[in-house]
Amino acid sequence: MAALWPRRLLLTAALRLGGRRRGSATALGPPGSGSGSAARPCSGDGGGGVLRHLLLKLRATGPLTVAEYMREALTNPGQGYYTRRGGVGGDFVTAPEVSQLPGEVIGLWCLSEWMAAGRPAAMQLVELGPGTGALTDDILRVFKQLASLLSKCDLSIHLVEVSPKLSETQAQMLTGGKVQSNPEDEAAYMKGISKTGIPVYWYRGIQDVPQGYSFYIAHEFLDALPIHKFQRTEKGWREVLVDIDPEASDQLRFVLSPSSTPATENFIQPEETRDHVEVCPEAGVLIQRLASRIEKDGGAALIADYGHDGTKTDTFRGFRNHKLHDVLKAPGTADLTADVDFSYLRKMAQGKIATLGPIKQREFLKNMGVDLRMQVLLQNSRDSATREQLLHSYDMLMNPKKMGDRFHFFALLPHHRLTPPHKEHNLQSKSPLPPVAGFGELLLK
Ligand code: SAH
């Protein structure tokens, strides 16, 4: 009955997991029009530092690529949007902030894959861009409640975070603030012990995270990585660049490169049919790194984000105070985001590993038994305000017009997880490979 165990795990978990102990986050603002994430941190302060720095740079060296512009706006060491954000104060509202369901489901997904791999003796949970740390906190609660399963597993948490302020917020959330900065002889810049007794490490990049059997989680992370933008013209592909507006010397505008650039040569596929294309090479490099690690050490990656499968064109957006914001105005004070191109990620995996998805969040969560879990949470909630909050966050996650159809899940797995390495395995082994939870329908009978 091996094929039934993901279902059994999900049903047991739906009934046994407790509620979330943290205070519930503030309600979401209205989702922005078009694509991109409205449910992201936002800023109310003036900024100005990034713009000044960029104007000097543009005067000295000429137009910047959109990727360079986005990198400065989001992660400039002193003034970038993420570098300055602490995530405290109630306006940091991604899905894990308003609902415990994404974290629970992702925790169960990892456990389910760990069991399918024969329960390896050690497991690293790696989160890329953990925001306030809410997602990892919810995953750790799942691990704690199903501790009997994990009692023999050496578990550790590894967080990749570029923002010093957000890493403090994460430390508070996960360890109660008991952390040691700059530990000697380690690639990690901070370490601590979670409230549930598990070691937690912080790094600046994935390359610093130790190798080993790992689950890599990237929730609303890839859409914050810098993109290049390209426009088809009568003379061929041109790169969209950012320059000083000649009409207003303290403002920016988009221009087209006068000729092709190395990026147009390298990033546009000959068979491309769209007229406008966005490419995120940093996401490509990340996928290549994850693919090498998963191929060598096993484990999986689960990527959850706003995105498309190589069909959309102009998705570059800014958000400030829950509203759409001109991407070129006041850089460093607004969140900039571009939808993830999952077809590009698949290409970058270069066949080293298998990929599953993208699948819409609405379907993934349903396949993971989220409706049953909701019933249990509603039955157990004592007051109408909690019930209302639960229903509100469920609607945000599942409504096709909100995140339900716009947010997707995409997995990277070793080939042997989906296809047995030798044909003989199929003949000899009595139990077929268990299905990967979430990517196929959950049959309750
Ligand atoms: N995953 C969280 C937060 C998403 S916001 C959630 O879904 O709630 C994006 C996160 O990625 C923030 O923590 C931000 O500081 C971090 N981040 C952005 N660019 C990064 C980069 N280049 N390297 C590491 N972390 C980055």
Side-chain angles (χ1 to χ4, degrees), residues 290-301:
L290 294 180
S292 303
R293 282 169 172 249
I294 293 168
E295 185 186 35
K296 183 165 167 281
D297 302 315

Side-chain angles (χ1 to χ4, degrees), residues 101-111 125 135 139 143 217 219 302 304 364 368 409:
L101 295 172
E104 285 185 0
V105 156
I106 292 172
L108 287 172
W109 192 86
C110 295
L111 274 183
L125 177 74
L135 189 81
I139 296 176
F143 287 179
I217 311 298
H219 190 280
L302 193 58
F364 181 81
M368 292 296 294
F409 280 75

Side-chain angles (χ1 to χ4, degrees), residues 40 75 82 92 94 96 127-131 160-163 166 170 204 219-221 224-225 282:
R40 289 285 287 270
T75 57
Y82 283 118
F92 201 94
T94 58
E127 190 183 354
L128 306 164
V160 175
E161 176 56 72
V162 78
S163 159
L166 280 173
Q170 294 148 17
R204 291 198 177 80
H219 190 280
E220 279 211 48
F221 173 69
L225 297 183
E282 274 190 36

Side-chain angles (χ1 to χ4, degrees), residues 188-246:
Y189 65 82
M190 191 161 79
K191 69 175 178 185
I193 302 284
S194 82
K195 289 179 268 182
T196 53
I198 298 165
V200 191
Y201 302 87
W202 279 262
Y203 311 85
R204 291 198 177 80
I206 183 77
Q207 67 282 1
D208 297 331
V209 176
Q211 306 256 345
Y213 181 86
S214 305
F215 288 100
Y216 302 92
I217 311 298
H219 190 280
E220 279 211 48
F221 173 69
L222 272 77
D223 70 329
L225 297 183
I227 51 150
H228 287 266
K229 280 172 89 66
F230 303 98
Q231 178 70 42
R232 191 194 294 273
T233 73
E234 281 171 5
K235 295 186 197 134
W237 284 98
R238 296 289 181 262
E239 182 158 11
V240 178
L241 303 172
V242 175
D243 201 0
I244 299 174
D245 186 342

